[in-house]
Amino acid sequence: MAQFTGSSHLECNVCHKVHRNVAKLLGPKAPDDWMTVHPGERLEAELTPDICILPCNGQTRHFIRGHLQLPVDESDFGTFVWSVWVELDEASMAQVAHAWNDPNRAAMPPLLGLLATELPYEQSTKGLPVSVHTRDLGQVPLLMLYPGTQHSLACEQRDGIAVHRAAELAGRLGR
Ligand SMILES: [Zn+2]
Protein backbone atom coordinates (compact mmCIF):
# COMPACT_ATOMS: atom_id res chain seq x y z
CA MET A 1 0.00 0.00 0.00
CA ALA A 2 1.24 3.47 -0.84
CA GLN A 3 2.43 5.78 1.88
CA PHE A 4 0.78 9.10 2.30
CA THR A 5 1.69 12.03 4.44
CA GLY A 6 -0.91 13.76 6.52
CA SER A 7 -4.47 13.25 5.42
CA SER A 8 -3.83 14.16 1.79
CA HIS A 9 -5.07 10.73 0.73
CA LEU A 10 -8.57 11.61 1.82
CA GLU A 11 -11.09 11.81 -0.93
CA CYS A 12 -12.29 15.37 -1.50
CA ASN A 13 -15.88 15.79 -0.41
CA VAL A 14 -16.50 18.28 -3.25
CA CYS A 15 -15.16 16.48 -6.33
CA HIS A 16 -14.45 13.02 -4.86
CA LYS A 17 -10.93 13.08 -6.22
CA VAL A 18 -7.77 12.94 -4.15
CA HIS A 19 -5.84 16.22 -4.13
CA ARG A 20 -2.13 15.51 -3.89
CA ASN A 21 0.78 17.93 -3.81
CA VAL A 22 -1.36 21.04 -3.94
CA ALA A 23 0.85 24.13 -4.09
CA LYS A 24 0.71 26.17 -0.91
CA LEU A 25 2.62 29.28 -1.95
CA LEU A 26 2.08 30.92 -5.29
CA GLY A 27 2.69 34.25 -6.90
CA PRO A 28 4.63 36.24 -9.50
CA LYS A 29 8.24 37.42 -9.18
CA ALA A 30 7.36 41.02 -10.03
CA PRO A 31 4.39 43.38 -9.79
CA ASP A 32 2.11 43.18 -12.84
CA ASP A 33 3.10 46.69 -13.91
CA TRP A 34 6.71 45.57 -14.25
CA MET A 35 5.80 44.22 -17.69
CA THR A 36 3.69 47.20 -18.75
CA VAL A 37 6.26 49.97 -18.36
CA HIS A 38 8.50 51.05 -21.21
CA PRO A 39 11.60 48.83 -21.54
CA GLY A 40 13.74 51.94 -21.00
CA GLU A 41 12.00 52.54 -17.68
CA ARG A 42 12.58 48.93 -16.71
CA LEU A 43 16.33 49.48 -17.21
CA GLU A 44 16.16 52.20 -14.56
CA ALA A 45 14.09 50.04 -12.22
CA GLU A 46 15.14 47.91 -9.29
CA LEU A 47 13.66 44.47 -8.68
CA THR A 48 14.64 42.14 -5.84
CA PRO A 49 12.60 39.22 -4.46
CA ASP A 50 11.13 41.65 -1.88
CA ILE A 51 11.12 45.15 -3.35
CA CYS A 52 10.42 46.81 -6.66
CA ILE A 53 11.16 50.45 -7.47
CA LEU A 54 9.66 51.26 -10.82
CA PRO A 55 9.95 54.50 -12.79
CA CYS A 56 6.69 55.05 -14.63
CA ASN A 57 5.76 58.12 -16.71
CA GLY A 58 8.17 60.37 -14.85
CA GLN A 59 7.10 59.15 -11.41
CA THR A 60 8.58 56.50 -9.16
CA ARG A 61 6.35 53.72 -7.93
CA HIS A 62 7.17 51.55 -4.91
CA PHE A 63 6.17 47.94 -4.40
CA ILE A 64 6.78 45.37 -1.72
CA ARG A 65 6.07 41.64 -1.76
CA GLY A 66 3.90 40.19 0.98
CA HIS A 67 1.96 37.10 1.93
CA LEU A 68 -1.80 36.99 1.82
CA GLN A 69 -2.82 33.87 3.71
CA LEU A 70 -6.02 31.89 3.29
CA PRO A 71 -6.69 29.42 6.10
CA VAL A 72 -7.50 25.92 4.82
CA ASP A 73 -10.17 23.87 6.54
CA GLU A 74 -7.92 20.83 6.79
CA SER A 75 -5.49 21.31 9.62
CA ASP A 76 -2.75 19.18 8.03
CA PHE A 77 -2.65 21.51 5.04
CA GLY A 78 -1.87 24.66 6.99
CA THR A 79 -2.49 27.84 5.02
CA PHE A 80 -2.67 28.60 1.34
CA VAL A 81 -0.50 31.64 0.60
CA TRP A 82 -0.70 34.13 -2.23
CA SER A 83 2.71 35.75 -2.58
CA VAL A 84 1.68 39.08 -4.06
CA TRP A 85 2.91 42.62 -4.64
CA VAL A 86 1.55 45.69 -2.94
CA GLU A 87 2.07 49.28 -3.97
CA LEU A 88 3.08 51.67 -1.18
CA ASP A 89 3.36 55.43 -1.28
CA GLU A 90 6.81 56.96 -1.03
CA ALA A 91 6.55 57.78 2.69
CA SER A 92 5.47 54.22 3.57
CA MET A 93 8.26 52.75 1.47
CA ALA A 94 10.75 55.02 3.26
CA GLN A 95 9.44 53.69 6.59
CA VAL A 96 9.87 50.11 5.38
CA ALA A 97 13.40 50.80 4.15
CA HIS A 98 14.30 52.53 7.41
CA ALA A 99 13.08 49.59 9.52
CA TRP A 100 14.30 46.82 7.16
CA ASN A 101 17.18 45.65 9.41
CA ASP A 102 15.60 46.67 12.71
CA PRO A 103 15.13 43.61 14.96
CA ASN A 104 12.01 45.28 16.36
CA ARG A 105 10.48 46.04 13.00
CA ALA A 106 7.45 43.82 13.71
CA ALA A 107 6.37 46.49 16.20
CA MET A 108 5.85 48.96 13.33
CA PRO A 109 2.23 50.01 12.91
CA PRO A 110 0.59 48.50 9.80
CA LEU A 111 0.86 50.45 6.54
CA LEU A 112 -1.77 50.95 3.88
CA GLY A 113 -1.04 49.45 0.47
CA LEU A 114 -2.86 48.56 -2.74
CA LEU A 115 -2.67 45.09 -4.24
CA ALA A 116 -0.60 45.21 -7.43
CA THR A 117 -1.09 41.60 -8.54
CA GLU A 118 -4.04 40.28 -10.51
CA LEU A 119 -5.14 36.96 -9.04
CA PRO A 120 -7.45 34.42 -10.68
CA TYR A 121 -10.76 35.66 -9.26
CA GLU A 122 -13.94 36.77 -11.03
CA GLN A 123 -13.52 40.33 -9.76
CA SER A 124 -10.23 42.13 -10.24
CA THR A 125 -7.86 42.01 -7.27
CA LYS A 126 -5.59 44.84 -8.42
CA GLY A 127 -6.10 47.98 -6.40
CA LEU A 128 -7.75 46.28 -3.41
CA PRO A 129 -6.63 48.07 -0.23
CA VAL A 130 -4.68 45.95 2.24
CA SER A 131 -2.99 46.56 5.53
CA VAL A 132 0.68 45.61 5.44
CA HIS A 133 1.98 44.11 8.69
CA THR A 134 5.74 44.03 8.94
CA ARG A 135 7.03 40.86 10.60
CA ASP A 136 10.32 39.73 12.11
CA LEU A 137 13.55 39.79 10.11
CA GLY A 138 13.54 37.22 7.34
CA GLN A 139 9.74 37.12 7.05
CA VAL A 140 7.85 38.98 4.35
CA PRO A 141 5.00 41.22 5.53
CA LEU A 142 1.58 39.78 6.14
CA LEU A 143 -1.23 41.32 4.10
CA MET A 144 -4.75 41.68 5.41
CA LEU A 145 -7.74 42.79 3.39
CA TYR A 146 -9.89 45.26 5.23
CA PRO A 147 -12.94 43.88 7.02
CA GLY A 148 -16.00 44.66 4.95
CA THR A 149 -14.17 44.49 1.60
CA GLN A 150 -16.73 43.20 -0.89
CA HIS A 151 -14.58 40.64 -2.68
CA SER A 152 -14.42 36.85 -2.63
CA LEU A 153 -10.71 37.09 -1.81
CA ALA A 154 -11.63 38.96 1.37
CA CYS A 155 -14.27 36.36 2.23
CA GLU A 156 -11.76 33.56 1.67
CA GLN A 157 -9.20 35.27 3.89
CA ARG A 158 -11.79 35.69 6.62
CA ASP A 159 -13.61 32.35 6.37
CA GLY A 160 -10.93 30.09 4.91
CA ILE A 161 -11.12 27.69 1.98
CA ALA A 162 -11.40 23.96 1.38
CA VAL A 163 -8.48 21.96 0.00
CA HIS A 164 -10.55 21.56 -3.17
CA ARG A 165 -10.56 25.33 -3.60
CA ALA A 166 -6.80 25.56 -2.94
CA ALA A 167 -6.23 22.99 -5.70
CA GLU A 168 -8.53 24.95 -8.01
CA LEU A 169 -6.76 28.27 -7.35
CA ALA A 170 -3.34 26.71 -7.82
CA GLY A 171 -4.51 25.19 -11.10
CA ARG A 172 -5.90 28.50 -12.37
CA LEU A 173 -2.69 30.38 -11.72
CA GLY A 174 -0.72 27.65 -13.45
CA ARG A 175 -2.63 28.11 -16.70
ZN1 LIG B 1 -11.89 18.39 -4.83
Side-chain angles (χ1 to χ4, degrees):
M1 194 179 150
Q3 296 292 307
F4 298 100
T5 54
S7 57
S8 57
H9 59 292
L10 289 179
E11 191 178 274
C12 172
N13 59 18
V14 179
C15 68
H16 305 292
K17 291 179 190 159
V18 178
H19 297 296
R20 284 198 190 89
N21 303 321
V22 176
K24 292 182 180 182
L25 178 79
L26 282 169
K29 290 184 164 40
D32 290 2
D33 289 340
W34 175 259
M35 288 316 293
T36 65
V37 299
H38 193 270
E41 292 176 317
R42 210 146 54 227
L43 282 178
E44 303 291 315
E46 182 185 345
L47 177 66
T48 77
D50 296 302
I51 297 284
C52 178
I53 309 293
L54 192 60
C56 183
N57 299 322
Q59 301 196 323
T60 304
R61 300 175 65 190
H62 309 84
F63 303 88
I64 187 168
R65 188 173 60 90
H67 282 176
L68 202 156
Q69 301 186 333
L70 310 182
V72 176
D73 66 2
E74 196 180 301
S75 57
D76 287 354
F77 191 94
T79 48
F80 179 87
V81 183
W82 287 125
S83 169
V84 289
W85 292 85
V86 172
E87 183 160 13
L88 297 176
D89 64 22
E90 190 173 1
S92 298
M93 189 54 127
Q95 264 183 277
V96 168
H98 182 73
W100 196 258
N101 294 312
D102 180 348
N104 293 319
R105 69 180 194 176
M108 239 172 94
L111 302 163
L112 169 68
L114 299 175
L115 269 190
T117 300
E118 197 65 85
L119 291 170
Y121 287 82
E122 300 283 316
Q123 292 170 272
S124 175
T125 57
K126 263 177 94 172
L128 284 176
V130 290
S131 55
V132 180
H133 301 259
T134 304
R135 292 192 285 177
D136 289 339
L137 298 179
Q139 289 189 291
V140 303
L142 213 50
L143 309 176
M144 302 294 294
L145 287 146
Y146 282 88
T149 302
Q150 299 294 311
H151 196 287
S152 47
L153 179 59
C155 300
E156 291 185 344
Q157 179 161 60
R158 186 187 64 224
D159 302 335
I161 57 174
V163 173
H164 176 81
R165 176 67 175 153
E168 182 181 67
L169 289 170
R172 278 197 205 172
L173 199 74
R175 277 211 298 271

